[in-house]
Amino acid sequence: MASANAFFDEIRNKPEVIDPPQSEDTTDIGESVNDPTQNALKPNVTVSSSVRELLECPVCLNAMYPPIHQCSNGHTLCSGCKPRVHNRCPTCRHELGNIRCLALEKVAASLELPCKYQSFGCVGIYPYYSKLKHESQCAFRPYSCPYAGSECTVIGDIPCLVAHLKDDHKVDMHNGSTFNHRYVKSNPHEVENATWMLTVFSCFGQYFCLHFEAFQLGMAPVYIAFLRFMGDDNEAKNYSYSLEVGGNGRKMIWQGVPRSIRDSHRKVRDSFDGLIIQRNMALFFSGGDRKELKLRVTGRIWKEQ
């Protein structure tokens, strides 16, 4: 068995992500995907661990979806891993061929399982083939840490992430819907790893993240400021914000809608959805000998009526 285990480990460690295949057998749960009240916990709904193990791919350890393959000895494998094992059963090493395990697919179709975000508050029970779609859109799925200065892997609900930002990332926390920040950098020509500032604001019973940083746009460095909402996109649309930067009698103003932290920091930044300041303009606003960046960014957040 040692050789078989080594084989599984080798396959699992390959840096490859395979999405579960789509199938016409998959049930479309439509608008109920984020409404656990329509799929509330049902009495006597239990799935034994042995059944769950039968539906677990022995290579990637993920749940299997149609088409589920099997070898002539009955060992099963998900369709995503089949090409990775070069058509050899990872359990017995026999040739896999194109045998489909219809019986196991029918067993899966009869199952109803709780959402994997049950511990975050989701009480829904979903058919096996609908569960994956629900989980990709579940309103209770955790958020990723919005801190952009490192590849932080922490996930959690909003109160958890607020505490994490404060305690672990030492992010500045402010109460109120207006802000006035000054950004100073002695060498504005250096933009590598220049995520300068993340500030969290608490207002209207919500939390907002203000980002300000330098990044490379083509051959020239630019500066961008934008706001993200700590919550879902449908709630973010209830708010607006404005940013203003200027100097030497000139100013630039940006007004927009905060993006949800469901959208990654990079996605928002690379879509240029914020106040963008070219370096020459930023140095002009800074005044003096134009060798040091001194930008004052002011703004406010308000709730739409």
Side-chain angles (χ1 to χ4, degrees), residues 96-287:
L96 281 171
N98 291 303
I99 307 172
R100 186 167 170 178
C101 189
L102 297 176
L104 188 56
E105 291 178 12
K106 289 181 179 180
V107 169
S110 69
L111 300 179
E112 292 184 320
L113 302 172
C115 173
K116 72 176 180 179
Y117 301 124
Q118 190 176 53
S119 61
F120 288 94
C122 184
V123 298
I125 293 288
Y126 298 91
Y128 183 84
Y129 292 140
S130 301
K131 180 173 175 285
L132 194 67
K133 180 177 179 180
H134 161 76
E135 290 171 348
S136 70
Q137 305 173 51
C138 178
F140 292 93
R141 69 192 190 280
Y143 298 88
S144 298
C145 173
Y147 191 77
S150 64
E151 296 297 326
C152 184
T153 58
V154 170
I155 61 172
D157 57 19
I158 299 303
C160 170
L161 289 184
V162 169
H164 165 67
L165 288 170
K166 180 181 178 181
D167 298 337
D168 298 329
H169 293 299
K170 311 302 180 185
V171 168
D172 289 335
M173 301 282 176
H174 294 275
N175 292 316
S177 59
T178 61
F179 44 89
N180 186 338
H181 285 305
R182 191 165 183 248
Y183 300 96
V184 178
K185 189 171 179 63
S186 59
N187 186 355
H189 297 278
E190 295 180 359
V191 297
E192 292 80 7
N193 303 317
T195 299
W196 293 358
M197 181 75 71
L198 169 63
T199 306
V200 174
F201 293 90
S202 174
C203 55
F204 308 109
Q206 306 288 348
Y207 291 95
F208 300 83
C209 296
L210 175 64
H211 297 266
F212 184 84
E213 65 179 271
F215 73 105
Q216 202 80 19
L217 181 60
M219 298 298 293
V222 298
Y223 309 98
I224 185 170
F226 57 88
L227 197 73
R228 286 202 291 167
F229 175 75
M230 296 189 72
D232 281 335
D233 185 63
N234 60 332
E235 295 179 88
K237 293 175 181 177
N238 295 325
Y239 301 90
S240 295
Y241 73 102
S242 64
L243 298 172
E244 180 178 315
V245 62
N248 287 329
R250 283 87 168 173
K251 65 181 178 181
M252 296 174 61
I253 300 175
W254 163 267
Q255 182 173 319
V257 176
R259 297 278 287 271
S260 165
I261 60 172
R262 294 285 189 205
D263 289 337
S264 70
H265 159 270
R266 181 178 294 274
K267 180 179 180 179
V268 179
R269 188 197 71 182
D270 291 351
S271 68
F272 314 127
D273 192 1
L275 175 64
I276 297 178
I277 313 158
Q278 300 291 336
R279 183 174 64 183
N280 288 341
M281 183 63 71
L283 292 175
F284 178 79
F285 288 154
S286 300

Side-chain angles (χ1 to χ4, degrees), residues 41-58:
L41 287 173
K42 303 170 185 177
N44 303 320
V45 177
T46 59
V47 179
S48 69
S49 59
S50 60
V51 174
R52 294 195 187 193
E53 288 172 4
L54 282 175
L55 290 164
E56 184 180 273
C57 174

